[in-house]
């Protein structure tokens, strides 16, 4: 944690299975418990980081639309969603890209800001503040389709199995820096 006043509650969601159920629990039971214990509306940050593909294939557009809906629900409830921009080397300028068959696919999750106001999309950079070679980014387009911030995301040392550390790179490693900073700002 970044502060004694900040509590981290890990909720493991494997890929996109169980995403809506997890958001139902977070926005329902967990929200109510935290509100009862603190006596006020809880300030919560949901951090997500996964790419646009699973096993090399783009996410189904129906899955993408469900995720956009979940992020909007969280945003509407006053929660902040922090999401890695993805490691597809794509310019997020218009929120769409063509798959191998030439079909337009919504870039997800980095463009969830299209439907959710309280969403930060995070690109990753190295120790010299150069964008990671595989990090998605934005150069133009509507503000809600851009990577909002860049954070350290190259050769980041993190906890692994109990008592072990590992080094990894990507926007999944950059997003926690932004979540921690947002928690400190809210504090």
């Amino acid at each position: 944690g970044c502060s004694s006043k900040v509590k981290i509650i890990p909720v493991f969601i494997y890929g996109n299975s169980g995403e809506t159920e997890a958001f139902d629990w977070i926005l329902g039971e967990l929200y109510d418990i935290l509100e009862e214990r603190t006596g006020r509306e809880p300030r919560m940050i949901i951090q997500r980081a996964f790419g646009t593909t699973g096993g090399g294939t783009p996410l189904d557009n129906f899955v993408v639309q469900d995720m956009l809906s979940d992020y909007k629900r969280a945003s509407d409830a006053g929660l902040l969603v922090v999401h890695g921009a993805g490691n597809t080397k794509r310019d997020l300028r218009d929120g769409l890209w063509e798959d191998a068959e030439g079909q337009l696919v919504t870039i997800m999750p980095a463009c969830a800001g299209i439907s959710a106001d309280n969403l930060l999309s995070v690109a990753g950079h190295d120790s010299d503040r150069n964008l990671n070679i595989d990090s998605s980014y934005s150069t133009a387009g509507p503000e809600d389709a851009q990577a909002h911030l860049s954070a350290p995301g190259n050769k980041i040392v993190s906890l692994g199995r109990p008592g072990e550390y590992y080094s990894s790179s990507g926007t999944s490693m950059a997003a926690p820096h932004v979540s921690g900073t947002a928690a400190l700002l809210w504090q």
Side-chain angles (χ1 to χ4, degrees):
C2 55
S3 166
S4 61
K5 295 180 181 180
V6 173
K7 305 297 181 212
I8 297 175
I9 303 170
V11 178
F12 181 73
I13 304 170
Y14 180 73
N16 57 16
S17 66
E19 175 108 4
T20 296
E21 291 83 3
F23 273 82
D24 289 345
W25 177 75
I26 290 166
L27 294 168
E29 186 178 350
L30 179 60
Y31 190 94
D32 292 344
I33 289 169
L34 294 174
E35 187 173 38
E36 182 179 313
R37 288 187 180 175
T38 63
R40 60 184 176 167
E41 292 182 357
R43 290 186 167 180
M44 296 171 59
I45 299 169
I46 298 173
Q47 181 187 302
R48 301 290 285 136
F50 61 91
T52 58
T53 61
T57 57
L59 290 174
D60 180 277
N61 271 326
F62 293 111
V63 171
V64 170
Q65 295 307 315
D66 286 346
M67 290 177 182
L68 291 172
S69 175
D70 288 332
Y71 292 170
K72 181 166 179 15
R73 287 192 306 142
S75 175
D76 290 349
L79 281 62
L80 174 65
V81 178
V82 175
H83 214 307
N87 305 305
T88 57
K89 304 181 199 178
R90 297 195 185 277
D91 187 341
L92 308 179
R93 68 183 175 276
D94 60 7
L96 301 171
W97 58 277
E98 288 187 20
D99 65 12
E101 289 80 40
Q103 299 295 314
L104 291 179
V105 179
T106 304
I107 292 176
M108 185 62 196
C111 290
I114 292 168
S115 63
D117 293 331
N118 294 343
L119 183 125
L120 293 175
S121 183
V122 183
H125 64 254
D126 64 19
S127 59
D128 293 323
R129 296 190 179 141
N130 296 314
L131 194 66
N132 284 359
I133 193 163
D134 62 347
S135 182
S136 294
Y137 57 93
S138 182
T139 59
E143 288 184 21
D144 57 8
Q146 296 181 16
H148 299 105
L149 299 166
S150 177
N154 190 43
K155 298 180 184 175
I156 303 299
V157 176
S158 184
L159 292 172
R161 295 180 181 180
E164 295 180 7
Y165 294 90
Y166 71 100
S167 175
S168 187
S169 298
T171 61
S172 295
M173 302 305 287
H177 294 281
V178 173
S179 293
T181 302
L184 286 172
L185 289 170
W186 260 353
Q187 176 185 310

